[in-house]
Amino acid sequence: MNHPAPERPADVVARLRATFRTGRTKPVEWRTGQLRRLRALLTENGSDLEAALHADLGKSAAEAQRTEIGFTVREIDHTLDQLADWLRPEPAPVPAHLGADATAWTQYDPLGVVLVIAPWNYPAQLLLAPVVGALAAGNAVVAKPSELAPATSAALARLLPRYLDTDAVAVVEGGVPETTALLAERFDHIFYTGNGTVGRIVMRAAAEHLTPVTLELGGKSPAFVDRDADLDTVAARLVAGKFLNAGQTCVAPDYVLTDPETAAALEPALVRAVEAQYGTDPARSTEYARIVNERHFDRLTGLLDSGRVVVGGGSDRSRKYLAPTVLADVAPDAPVMREEIFGPILPIVTVPGLDEAIDFVNDRDKPLALYVFSESDGTRERFAAETSSGGLGHGLPLAHLTVSDLPFGGVGESGMGNYHGRYSIETFSHRKAVLKKPLG
Ligand code: NAD
């Protein structure tokens, strides 16, 4: 079969820019229309997308719905519900020297043509949720899915043009060469989700055109467990948050930080929690995902001797299966503590107490998320006041990113800028200052 040659990146951007210049993407009706079409794509093609996510990452249908398809539908519904309100111009008080007849306000202007670059771990959600924001803000969008989730990338490249306005939304598939070519073009905003090394490449390319960037990066998100915490509850929530998508979640608790006595009591609680969640043989659980590829599988199994195996440790390269694994007696400088784990290995690192735990966090890069399991207001307040992280979760990992009215993003090495809900409108718009003074 003869496929037409893919459109060159420069032509894609020129075509979308021409559409933007006509003003077609600006009326709120166009925006809500596109969001409804995207919603229809997700609800009408749920089983195709579930199959693609299963092929790429072994995600169960339930998990695909909860963390990717349904997640994006909820983001769309929230946006449809609130958009008119978010877009309302905001009056600003006018100083007396301009006279009583002067008025001032801010209004949101769309930026133009936006590039969204997504990673492989939540390959549908992390492409589409930024696209929701970019469309809601009235932009044209180039969407670049991750080549490391090829089935999902292909499904989205096939479906998006069938549902959305192809003069304003384009999907460009591919890896480094294709993304490099895209990055040479001038965009009005680049929204990148992935690792910090590529984040730097993106930002350098953006600097050539003075294009603003949002960088949604990762890092090691700590989970502090206080000695007063109910350890069975803590273990169940840690296991649910850590081993979702086989640990390949940017806001997964990366490691546990606690004192030695609590660590000793937490170990058996974690063993019980893993068994309760995935059974005695997680390889047979349909709810447990697989590692994305052999390269990451080899990287992860290379980290297994960083400590004593409390539970898990088993693996099968041919199936890219790595058991939910907890490691104890892990030294702060062990290999597993030197980089973001991004897989189903949960090390427990001990510190004498709260002061040292706070120092431990502050001695390292600012994390994307920080989790605190404590019954003490004082402890919670100290973490809130004395540490910096993209988000802070008391008692429950991951969940803050499902609150549509909270901004989601990192700080420092974990990224810059944020999105979700109205924060996506802020990200993908220019807030224009307007002053009006009558001539008469
Ligand atoms: P990845 O390998 O899929 O890369 C992400 C994107 O960058 C892909 O679209 C890829 O094509 C592109 N890319 C790769 N190399 C490039 C290059 N040299 N030039 C231009 N583009 C290039 O995904 P990844 O980076 O392995 O993703 C995992 C990382 O992402 C982890 O660090 C994780 O914490 C982070 N992450 C962050 C969030 C968040 O919301 N903050 C969400 C998910 C993942």
Side-chain angles (χ1 to χ4, degrees):
M1 208 165 82
N2 263 340
H3 290 285
E7 202 179 358
R8 292 185 313 132
D11 296 337
V12 176
V13 177
R15 190 164 61 77
L16 268 51
R17 193 170 296 289
T19 305
F20 182 76
R21 287 282 296 276
T22 67
R24 167 148 127 211
T25 64
K26 290 185 179 173
V28 76
E29 296 74 25
W30 181 88
R31 308 181 192 191
T32 53
Q34 293 299 298
L35 295 182
R36 289 200 182 88
R37 298 289 297 150
L38 184 54
R39 192 184 197 287
L41 182 161
L42 292 164
T43 52
E44 291 168 12
N45 300 278
S47 50
D48 279 10
L49 289 168
E50 286 166 16
L53 291 162
H54 189 267
D56 286 332
L57 287 144
K59 289 191 200 221
S60 70
E63 186 172 324
Q65 279 297 339
R66 188 158 55 98
T67 66
E68 307 241 26
I69 303 165
F71 182 99
T72 311
V73 168
R74 278 196 306 283
E75 182 72 12
I76 291 171
D77 288 347
H78 181 61
T79 305
L80 285 171
D81 199 43
Q82 303 285 323
L83 187 60
D85 203 30
W86 294 338
L87 293 176
R88 205 159 285 141
E90 206 175 298
V94 176
H97 72 266
L98 292 174
D101 58 351
T103 49
W105 66 91
T106 57
Q107 71 180 51
Y108 287 110
D109 282 355
L111 294 170
V113 183
V114 164
L115 172 62
V116 175
I117 304 175
W120 51 265
N121 62 329
Y122 290 85
Q125 184 212 130
L126 295 175
L127 187 78
L128 298 179
V131 167
V132 169
L135 293 174
N139 298 285
V141 190
V142 177
K144 214 300 282 175
S146 175
E147 73 281 16
L148 298 185
T152 310
S153 176
L156 292 172
R158 177 171 58 82
L159 292 169
L160 282 166
R162 274 187 19 207
Y163 282 81
L164 299 185
D165 181 344
T166 50
D167 290 329
V169 182
V171 183
V172 174
E173 287 193 272
V176 176
E178 291 80 2
T179 317
T180 306
L182 271 177
L183 286 172
E185 297 304 315
R186 184 170 71 79
F187 289 93
D188 299 286
H189 193 94
I190 300 177
F191 189 103
Y192 170 80
T193 304
N195 67 76
T197 305
V198 177
R200 285 168 168 80
I201 294 173
V202 169
M203 200 167 170
R204 247 178 247 128
E208 281 303 312
H209 302 286
L210 277 187
T211 297
V213 294
T214 302
L215 300 179
E216 295 280 341
L217 311 179
K220 294 182 85 65
S221 297
F224 174 74
V225 181
D226 209 353
R227 45 174 64 99
D228 65 4
D230 178 303
L231 295 183
D232 280 317
T233 304
V234 172
R237 293 184 186 178
L238 276 174
V239 162
K242 175 74 185 190
F243 299 118
L244 178 74
N245 199 26
Q248 301 162 117
T249 303
C250 55
V251 284
D254 187 272
Y255 62 96
V256 171
L257 200 54
T258 191
D259 64 86
E261 298 76 37
T262 309
L266 184 61
E267 285 181 26
L270 284 167
V271 177
R272 287 192 294 276
V274 169
E275 198 175 316
Q277 180 89 20
Y278 298 108
T280 46
D281 182 8
R284 300 163 71 100
S285 166
T286 53
E287 294 305 308
Y288 187 61
R290 295 296 179 262
I291 306 305
V292 65
N293 56 30
E294 279 82 11
R295 182 170 65 82
H296 279 285
F297 178 90
D298 294 340
R299 177 181 67 77
L300 288 163
T301 48
L303 300 174
L304 287 173
D305 51 14
S306 292
R308 169 171 55 83
V309 174
V310 174
V311 62
S315 64
D316 177 351
R317 193 173 193 272
S318 68
R319 296 194 164 82
K320 289 177 282 185
Y321 164 78
L322 176 55
T325 299
V326 176
L327 298 179
D329 308 331
V330 175
D333 59 352
V336 76
M337 290 302 294
R338 287 187 209 144
E339 56 179 72
E340 178 182 5
I341 299 168
F342 219 56
I345 305 172
L346 182 65
I348 304 175
V349 176
T350 59
V351 282
L354 179 59
D355 289 337
E356 293 82 0
I358 289 174
D359 283 344
F360 194 96
V361 173
N362 288 333
D363 284 343
R364 287 160 177 78
D365 291 333
K366 291 179 183 176
L368 183 57
L370 172 68
Y371 302 113
V372 177
F373 295 89
S374 176
E375 295 288 2
S376 153
D377 286 340
T379 300
R380 284 195 286 261
E381 279 160 21
R382 283 201 58 192
F383 272 102
E386 296 176 33
T387 67
S388 175
S389 55
L392 173 62
H394 292 296
L396 193 59
L398 274 50
H400 60 289
L401 84 82
T402 65
V403 181
S404 306
D405 287 313
L406 284 178
F408 179 62
V411 57
E413 277 289 322
S414 55
M416 61 182 71
N418 51 56
Y419 73 128
H420 286 175
R422 70 171 311 145
Y423 299 97
S424 293
I425 304 298
E426 297 280 345
T427 288
F428 291 114
S429 308
H430 166 61
R431 200 197 263 248
K432 183 156 73 185
V434 187
L435 172 80
K436 184 173 127 203
K437 172 82 177 168
L439 293 174

